[in-house]
Amino acid sequence: MGLIIFGILYILKRECIKRKLFTAGYGKEEMFVKKTGITVIGAFAALLLIAVLLGAALIKKYTSNKEHVTPAEVYPVAEGEAHVMFWQEDYEKKALLLNSGIYLDLETVRSHINKDFYYDETEKVLSFTTPTEIIRAYAGEAAYYGNRVKVELKSAALLQKAGVPYVSLEFAALFSDMRYTFFEQPARVLILTGSKEMLSLDAKKGAVLRETADIKSRILRDLPEKNRVWYVSGGGDGGNSFVKVMTEDGVYGFVKKRDLTETYYAPYSSDYKEPVYSHITSEKKVVLGWHQVTNAQANAGLESLVKDNEVLTVISPTWFRLADAKGNLSSLADESYVKKAKEYGLEVWALVDNFKTEGIDDPTENSFAVLSSTEARERLINNLIAEAIRYDLDGLNIDFEMISLATGPHFIQFLRELSVKCRINGIVLSVDNYVPSSHAAYYDWSSQGVVVDYVVIMAYDEHYAGAENAGSVASYGYLTSAVDSIVTMVPKEQVIMAVPFYTRLWMESEESGVKKLTSEALAMAAAEAELERNGVTAEWDETVRQYYAEYKKGSATYKIWLEETDSLKEKLSYIKSAGLAGTAAWRLGFEKPEIWTLFDREVLGE
């Protein structure tokens, strides 16, 4: 305090000299009195008062707040609710305390605990799949059903409040890598997920936990010496002198760094065991050919397609189609076909599609209706498994195309549930996909790779019928990009890359000043014959790594990018170098016989 007073007097003296209150010929005190009318004693009294007031302000500024506040005041919750704390996150939504259970809204459960919980909004059914079980829970029922076996719970697994589905933490914890602890005063639940190393600190004697990073902030709790807290982040607005921490009972606050020991890592380990999804895969490379079967009579064409083929390992006849919005199938399956295929050493993976059926203009209508309904989805799955068993099929090949963004999550749930039944019955499950792209991301290739045996990428129709511009059906870059992308999401041992056995002949014309573009798909031999008839020789285009030809007939311009031995060699070589599970081709009967020698060398060869 003395130093403060001395400093103030010194500053005042300098100010007086500056303002010429002290002049030559007078004593300093005399002149000061003459000019100001203030006695020396009065001046000192004023200075002393200023010093006292300034000292009090400094003391107030730098003295810590001793006021305590209870966590209940900081984390207010209404009756029947609980505050929610996740590791390093003070969550904005509240948990519900109902019927002896603790509940979080489904959106939170999916975003923070386990994304694989699936909810049927129409039928009010909560589903979860494991590698061997399809779990169902129904609103208000204190039980769940796994493979139709009822398991009792202490509280209902699923509740509805104001139209929002809530999941009990008791149920969520059974199938998720999480642990939760409930605390009172205030009611709060601390949820920890996954195993992790938590950066921890111990409190020193006298350490306190404050509301904010400020010594004027109220005290939430006095921390006993060696009390452990978990580091959350730096001090925020409080600068570097504070750190944000969470106590072991889920209270967030700020502590001065100097009041904490050095940091150390304390492991938090979970005894949860991740489900292990087994896959039915072949040790040998897969060479799959699709057999387009449009009617029952077409099944008789099998032998002509495979009798001289020792390279093909799997044949996939297009037999099954989604018939209605209830999950029923139309079928062209044939028992003698399967028997004959196996005599040739082939596995039979029957294809299932969602293409247009009579009375339905848009295949996505049935797809959404069936896949979003628990009842219809279950009927479809049971129908497929029954057909697979009835015809002794080795596998199923799901070819659901043009599904909508809204259908995406339901499609993945369909694959999860179908995979359980296939796994139990030893049926290979493969799924056909477009090449990976942002606009088709809702096909969720990563999730597919977890549950299905093979993810098939259809690396063709780069330029398709109805496209605005003519171009290759499958350029080299189109395929290599697809390979490079899919292996970042699905293990390469589960990826089958499909190539085309066809090309498109494009015709560019103009009618009444309007440009038109049409195309037709041609088999390999038909494409070569077309060029020969028109006396055209195709030239190699290194950019797309295909032979390209262009010619005129009348006022129309024709363009074609050929798919043949050389172009396929480029593609198959890249597939082999990537170590994929194998290849597929659309479709059998479009290829030239010598193509199989190429497949033998590039796919099956060492």
Side-chain angles (χ1 to χ4, degrees):
M1 181 66 76
L3 288 173
I4 294 173
I5 295 173
F6 178 81
I8 294 171
L9 289 173
Y10 178 75
I11 292 168
L12 184 60
K13 177 181 176 181
R14 285 177 60 85
E15 190 66 21
C16 289
I17 292 173
K18 181 179 178 181
R19 297 175 183 274
K20 298 181 180 181
L21 296 180
F22 293 147
T23 58
Y26 293 92
K28 293 178 181 179
E29 292 84 356
E30 181 182 359
M31 191 64 198
F32 187 71
V33 170
K34 285 183 178 182
K35 290 286 184 180
T36 64
I38 302 174
T39 65
V40 173
I41 295 175
F44 271 98
L47 290 173
L48 184 60
L49 177 60
I50 293 170
V52 169
L53 293 174
L54 180 60
L58 291 172
I59 290 172
K60 182 177 180 181
K61 179 178 180 180
Y62 292 106
T63 300
S64 300
N65 186 1
K66 303 298 183 183
E67 180 186 0
H68 284 67
V69 61
T70 65
E73 295 176 76
V74 178
Y75 302 119
V77 289
E79 186 176 351
E81 293 184 345
H83 204 79
V84 178
M85 282 89 166
F86 289 99
W87 166 235
Q88 293 191 326
E89 182 180 3
D90 186 3
Y91 198 56
E92 70 273 12
K93 294 182 180 180
K94 300 293 188 288
L96 299 183
L97 305 177
L98 293 169
N99 304 329
S100 303
I102 305 171
Y103 294 84
L104 288 180
D105 64 281
L106 178 62
E107 180 184 359
T108 296
V109 171
R110 286 177 51 83
S111 63
H112 283 70
I113 296 175
N114 192 326
K115 68 180 180 61
D116 292 336
F117 282 102
Y118 172 87
Y119 182 63
D120 183 333
E121 294 183 3
T122 302
E123 298 170 26
K124 305 295 185 290
V125 181
L126 182 67
S127 298
F128 186 83
T129 60
T130 72
T132 57
E133 283 188 296
I134 301 173
I135 310 297
R136 305 276 196 224
Y138 301 91
E141 189 170 350
Y144 70 86
Y145 298 83
N147 290 349
R148 302 193 180 279
V149 176
K150 184 177 182 180
V151 179
E152 301 287 346
L153 296 171
K154 295 178 182 177
S155 55
L158 174 68
L159 290 177
Q160 285 268 335
K161 184 176 181 182
V164 176
Y166 284 81
V167 181
S168 77
L169 292 184
E170 176 194 6
F171 180 70
L174 293 175
F175 308 104
S176 308
D177 190 3
M178 60 90 78
R179 183 183 73 185
Y180 66 96
T181 309
F182 180 74
F183 301 96
E184 295 182 342
Q185 296 181 352
R188 62 195 187 280
V189 59
L190 173 62
I191 301 172
L192 299 177
T193 59
S195 297
K196 57 176 70 72
E197 284 197 330
M198 305 173 79
L199 187 58
S200 302
L201 310 97
D202 285 341
K204 294 180 181 179
K205 186 176 181 179
V208 295
L209 183 74
R210 295 187 180 276
E211 279 186 276
T212 62
D214 190 333
I215 62 171
K216 295 303 181 182
S217 173
R218 296 179 297 179
I219 297 172
L220 288 168
R221 181 175 296 174
D222 295 310
L223 298 176
E225 189 174 3
K226 296 185 178 180
N227 181 246
R228 185 171 73 171
V229 294
W230 293 325
Y231 176 87
V232 175
S233 65
D237 294 338
N240 294 324
S241 60
F242 282 87
V243 291
K244 186 177 183 180
V245 301
M246 183 176 73
T247 64
E248 291 185 292
D249 61 346
V251 176
Y252 286 91
F254 295 83
V255 182
K256 271 190 167 293
K257 281 185 178 179
R258 70 185 185 191
D259 292 335
L260 297 167
T261 63
E262 292 185 2
T263 60
Y264 60 94
Y265 283 96
Y268 161 70
S269 59
S270 166
D271 57 4
Y272 176 79
K273 302 298 182 185
E274 285 287 344
V276 178
Y277 284 84
S278 60
H279 298 100
I280 307 172
T281 55
S282 174
E283 294 181 0
K284 298 179 180 180
K285 296 295 184 182
V286 174
V287 180
L288 180 150
W290 281 292
H291 178 194
Q292 187 175 28
V293 179
T294 56
N295 53 58
Q297 290 71 35
N299 284 317
L302 169 67
E303 194 162 10
S304 65
L305 295 174
V306 304
K307 65 179 180 180
D308 297 321
N309 192 328
E310 296 181 358
V311 178
L312 202 65
T313 65
V314 177
I315 192 163
S316 180
T318 59
W319 276 349
F320 302 122
R321 178 160 295 173
L322 189 58
D324 56 32
K326 297 180 180 179
N328 293 310
L329 292 171
S330 62
S331 173
L332 294 171
D334 184 281
E335 189 174 354
S336 62
Y337 182 106
V338 176
K339 184 178 179 181
K340 180 64 69 175
K342 292 189 176 185
E343 287 176 0
Y344 280 103
L346 299 173
E347 292 187 18
V348 181
W349 299 358
L351 181 142
V352 187
D353 69 41
N354 64 334
F355 296 171
K356 181 178 176 180
T357 55
E358 187 175 352
I360 298 292
D361 294 326
D362 183 356
T364 62
E365 291 181 20
N366 275 349
S367 300
F368 180 82
V370 172
L371 300 184
S372 65
S373 164
T374 300
E375 181 181 350
R377 193 173 60 249
E378 188 170 29
R379 181 179 293 110
L380 173 60
I381 290 170
N382 289 340
N383 285 337
L384 287 171
I385 297 300
E387 291 291 281
I389 293 172
R390 176 184 175 187
Y391 290 100
D392 193 24
L393 301 178
D394 301 288
L396 293 170
N397 178 237
I398 307 302
D399 186 26
F400 277 29
E401 301 184 25
M402 295 178 62
I403 65 170
S404 64
L405 175 64
T407 307
H410 310 300
F411 178 63
I412 296 302
Q413 183 62 19
F414 163 64
L415 295 180
R416 288 194 189 105
E417 295 177 4
L418 178 59
S419 78
V420 173
K421 299 289 184 72
C422 285
R423 196 172 294 111
I424 291 172
N425 289 281
I427 299 167
V428 178
L429 178 59
S430 62
V431 184
D432 302 336
N433 290 271
Y434 304 120
V435 298
S437 64
S438 58
H439 67 266
Y442 55 88
Y443 273 84
D444 195 353
W445 303 285
S446 295
S447 292
Q448 286 190 34
V450 172
V451 298
V452 309
D453 299 311
Y454 290 107
V455 173
V456 183
I457 301 299
M458 301 179 293
Y460 42 80
D461 278 346
E462 178 181 3
H463 294 84
Y464 52 89
E468 294 182 359
N469 299 299
S472 170
V473 166
S475 66
Y476 179 75
Y478 189 68
L479 178 132
T480 58
S481 177
V483 171
D484 295 346
S485 181
I486 194 62
V487 295
T488 66
M489 297 176 278
V490 178
K492 61 184 181 181
E493 298 81 6
Q494 291 177 248
V495 175
I496 296 173
M497 191 63 51
V499 297
F501 279 168
Y502 68 97
T503 189
R504 287 194 176 277
L505 177 63
W506 301 88
M507 184 182 76
E508 295 176 349
S509 61
E510 187 172 323
E511 291 183 9
S512 303
V514 178
K515 292 183 178 181
K516 292 180 62 177
L517 178 66
T518 59
S519 70
E520 62 173 316
L522 298 177
M524 291 181 181
E528 290 183 1
E530 172 69 17
L531 295 184
E532 188 176 343
R533 277 196 304 272
N534 289 278
V536 178
T537 300
E539 295 184 358
W540 184 256
D541 184 338
E542 185 61 24
T543 303
V544 294
R545 301 200 190 184
Q546 289 176 300
Y547 287 101
Y548 171 73
E550 180 178 325
Y551 58 94
K552 283 187 173 292
K553 283 199 320 186
S555 61
T557 299
Y558 291 82
K559 297 179 179 180
I560 190 167
W561 287 260
L562 293 173
E563 201 66 78
E564 42 67 65
T565 305
D566 289 340
S567 65
L568 280 174
K569 181 181 183 300
E570 297 281 343
K571 296 181 178 72
L572 295 180
S573 295
Y574 195 84
I575 291 169
K576 183 178 181 179
S577 69
L580 305 188
T583 58
W586 179 264
R587 65 176 173 86
L588 293 178
F590 274 10
E591 77 280 14
K592 296 179 70 175
E594 57 264 31
I595 288 297
W596 295 113
T597 303
L598 176 67
F599 270 74
D600 190 22
R601 183 175 68 249
E602 296 296 334
V603 180
L604 301 181
E606 296 299 326

